[in-house]
Amino acid sequence: YLRDRTHAHWVGMNVLTRYRIGMEPRQLGSREGASEMGERTWYWRVTLSEASVDVEGVTLGGLVRVEVEVRDRDDRDREPLARVVGFIL
């Protein structure tokens, strides 16, 4: 169980990193895909949305919130094994 959750987290971080370094379009909305890791297929769904963050009373706007959910089966109703959230400019 812990191995599966760890691999799912790594898959989510890899997807998030692709957005952070500009390998994926920063188009708002959702997108699904699959990745191979540990001789298994992992299914992910990424959602990009507009965001602003308050930091010590200062609002930072113009951000994009990237949320990645990773499952070990192609089933949206199944609870994700990992969820990764990050922000990009």
Side-chain angles (χ1 to χ4, degrees), residues 5-57:
R5 287 186 54 105
T6 299
H7 284 174
H9 179 78
W10 289 345
V11 168
M13 291 300 295
N14 287 346
V15 173
L16 175 60
T17 298
R18 291 180 63 88
Y19 281 91
R20 284 186 168 161
I21 65 174
M23 290 180 68
E24 300 293 338
R26 296 177 181 192
Q27 183 176 352
L28 300 181
S30 296
R31 175 174 168 235
E32 296 180 0
S35 297
E36 296 290 325
M37 180 171 288
E39 299 179 5
R40 290 179 63 185
T41 302
W42 299 91
Y43 300 90
W44 50 263
R45 178 179 176 87
V46 62
T47 303
L48 278 69
S49 57
E50 293 179 354
S52 62
V53 177
D54 289 329
V55 178
E56 296 184 11

Side-chain angles (χ1 to χ4, degrees), residues 69-86:
E69 294 180 338
V70 183
R71 294 172 175 80
D72 61 350
R73 294 193 183 122
D74 191 11
D75 181 358
R76 283 191 218 156
D77 294 330
R78 186 175 175 88
E79 187 68 24
L81 286 172
R83 181 175 286 117
V84 177
V85 177

Side-chain angles (χ1 to χ4, degrees), residues 54-66:
D54 289 329
V55 178
E56 296 184 11
V58 176
T59 300
L60 303 173
L63 299 174
V64 176
R65 181 179 188 272
V66 182

